[in-house]
Amino acid sequence: MIPIYNKTILVSPLPWGLGHVARMIPLLRQYVRHNKVIVFTTQELLDYVKQYVPEIISEVEEETPFLYRKNFSLFHLFFVVFWLQKMYFHERKKVKELVLKHEPDLIISDNRYGWFDETIPSILITHQVRPAFPWWAFPFKPLLMRIMLNKYKHFFQLWIPDVHEYPGLAGKLSHTPVLRRLNHWYIGPLSRFENRRSNVEEEYAVWVLSGPSLHREWMLNQIVSFWKDIDFPLHIVGTEGTIQLPPHIKTYTLTNPAVDELIMNARYLISHTGYSVLMDLEKLNKKGWLFPTSGQSEQIYLAQLHAKKHHVFKNVRTLLECLKLELKKIKQ
């Protein structure tokens, strides 16, 4: 990691679920020792960060409801473009307000392309230097990459949470000729499980939900309806929900202090093929049961890239059916 001393640092991770904020924890732990660190994100994620780094200064962001769609449509494309543009202008407005309030020496953004200031060195953390475009976007790929390059040029430097050697963990997403034109630095995979290992595997499964809160609630309902007849303990991390649960299924909020131990000791760790999940599994030296979020081209690519290293399935239904057979074998 890059050392920074005696600075005021303004930090904001993308507030879509746990992944982006969780991977910032190693950096925040390091930087609060010698700097003043302000973090701008939702109250739920601030509460989560403060378990690990209580010294941060909080700036609360209002959560914007968002739900992933199962299928692509032209209407959905226009909706996403409009929503992202709205987020961009929201970030531009908010960062200016906080710059006036805190007078930072450095700004760090995790995948927020509007989180920069022209007068202050601004860093962008991203593993998707070259995004995994869906099939329908390929005719527009040169235009989209030009747009991305223009966004990168607002930042003093790109920090890439991967290793320099190809394929690393992100493959072509983080290893691309585009980087020749950009000031960049490979800072290695980031995980709150750094230097933590468990040689114990206990007989239960942990399902780590990710994404926006609406998506996590939707996933919870799907999982419980399937798992209620499977006689094997399941711990679901990411939401408590409001539905009634059978006794062998338990839910945990992000801020529950038991979560990390549950994840480290689980025999089965289930989640999306999100990049933060892959970095956690790498640090824990665990094999995950993974599936891509429907419609998320980045996660579909990462699922293909890591198909030999983990148990990877094309969708959640296939994963559940295979896991059900696996658990029946254990019972026998």
Side-chain angles (χ1 to χ4, degrees):
M1 294 182 194
I2 298 173
I4 299 171
Y5 298 97
N6 301 321
K7 304 289 185 185
T8 298
I9 309 172
L10 182 58
V11 180
S12 186
L14 189 69
W16 292 9
L18 180 63
H20 289 279
V21 74
R23 73 187 192 183
M24 291 295 293
I25 286 168
L27 289 175
L28 294 174
R29 277 173 169 162
Q30 175 179 325
Y31 293 150
V32 293
R33 294 175 194 158
H34 306 287
N35 305 277
K36 176 183 175 183
V37 179
I38 304 108
V39 178
F40 174 71
T41 190
T42 63
Q43 186 63 62
E44 179 188 32
L45 296 178
L46 284 168
D47 292 341
Y48 175 78
V49 172
K50 284 190 170 183
Q51 292 182 100
Y52 300 91
V53 199
E55 301 91 342
I56 64 164
I57 298 168
S58 301
E59 285 287 354
V60 181
E61 176 178 15
E62 184 179 346
E63 184 171 358
T64 306
F66 185 75
L67 180 64
Y68 296 132
R69 307 281 175 158
K70 288 184 182 180
N71 301 306
F72 166 75
S73 67
L74 195 58
F75 170 78
H76 183 224
L77 171 62
F78 286 121
F79 169 77
V80 169
V81 171
F82 170 78
W83 195 86
L84 289 174
Q85 198 65 15
K86 182 181 175 183
M87 282 284 292
Y88 178 83
F89 287 116
H90 161 71
E91 290 165 10
R92 298 298 304 122
K93 179 183 176 183
K94 197 64 191 180
V95 76
K96 288 179 185 298
E97 290 175 10
L98 294 179
V99 163
L100 288 172
K101 181 178 177 181
H102 295 286
E103 299 182 345
D105 305 295
L106 180 69
I107 294 172
I108 298 179
S109 160
D110 187 317
N111 263 72
R112 303 193 79 155
Y113 296 100
W115 197 256
F116 65 89
D117 188 272
E118 295 85 352
T119 63
I120 300 167
S122 302
I123 307 294
L124 176 67
I125 297 176
T126 183
H127 65 279
Q128 282 198 84
V129 181
R130 173 181 150 186
F133 297 110
W135 63 267
W136 48 263
F138 267 66
F140 311 105
K141 186 176 174 181
L143 173 62
L144 293 170
M145 278 309 305
R146 198 175 306 130
I147 292 170
M148 295 301 297
L149 276 170
N150 286 333
K151 289 188 180 296
Y152 295 148
K153 287 175 183 176
H154 291 298
F155 294 91
F156 166 72
Q157 194 171 58
L158 267 63
W159 290 357
I160 304 168
D162 201 354
V163 295
H164 185 272
E165 296 76 19
Y166 181 85
L169 290 179
K172 66 182 182 182
L173 305 183
S174 63
H175 301 81
T176 167
V178 168
L179 285 168
R180 294 172 192 158
R181 290 183 266 174
L182 299 167
N183 183 14
H184 66 280
W185 192 273
Y186 286 95
I187 61 173
L190 298 173
S191 171
R192 67 190 186 280
F193 294 108
E194 198 119 38
N195 303 321
R196 299 186 72 182
R197 294 285 187 279
S198 175
N199 297 320
V200 179
E201 273 197 346
E202 298 184 21
E203 293 301 307
Y204 61 81
V206 169
W207 197 306
V208 180
L209 299 176
S210 63
S213 57
L214 288 177
H215 180 74
R216 282 180 270 146
E217 290 170 17
W218 178 82
M219 281 296 302
L220 175 67
N221 291 323
Q222 303 300 308
I223 296 162
V224 171
S225 65
F226 189 93
W227 204 284
K228 62 185 178 183
D229 298 322
I230 299 177
D231 183 22
F232 193 82
L234 174 66
H235 303 281
I236 303 174
V237 174
T239 183
E240 284 191 328
T242 56
I243 57 176
Q244 189 170 359
L245 300 172
H248 64 291
I249 301 177
K250 293 182 173 61
T251 59
Y252 302 80
T253 61
L254 300 177
T255 54
N256 192 307
V259 162
D260 283 0
E261 292 296 325
L262 283 171
I263 290 172
M264 285 194 298
N265 298 331
R267 176 159 185 176
Y268 300 99
L269 186 57
I270 312 163
S271 192
H272 299 283
T273 47
Y275 190 65
S276 296
V277 171
L278 292 168
M279 289 194 291
D280 287 343
L281 290 168
E282 183 75 9
K283 293 293 183 181
L284 290 170
N285 195 27
K286 290 180 78 75
K287 198 166 188 175
W289 288 65
L290 309 172
F291 66 98
T293 303
S294 179
Q296 296 292 302
S297 51
E298 175 220 352
Q299 291 195 13
I300 293 169
Y301 170 74
L302 290 173
Q304 295 166 349
L305 184 66
H306 291 271
K308 293 181 179 179
K309 194 169 187 177
H310 299 284
H311 302 287
V312 176
F313 303 86
K314 64 179 181 179
N315 54 46
V316 66
R317 180 61 58 176
T318 309
L319 181 149
L320 285 167
E321 293 292 350
C322 290
L323 189 54
K324 193 174 184 179
L325 292 173
E326 168 89 2
L327 295 175
K328 278 185 179 179
K329 289 177 185 177
I330 292 174
K331 291 290 180 184
Q332 291 169 356

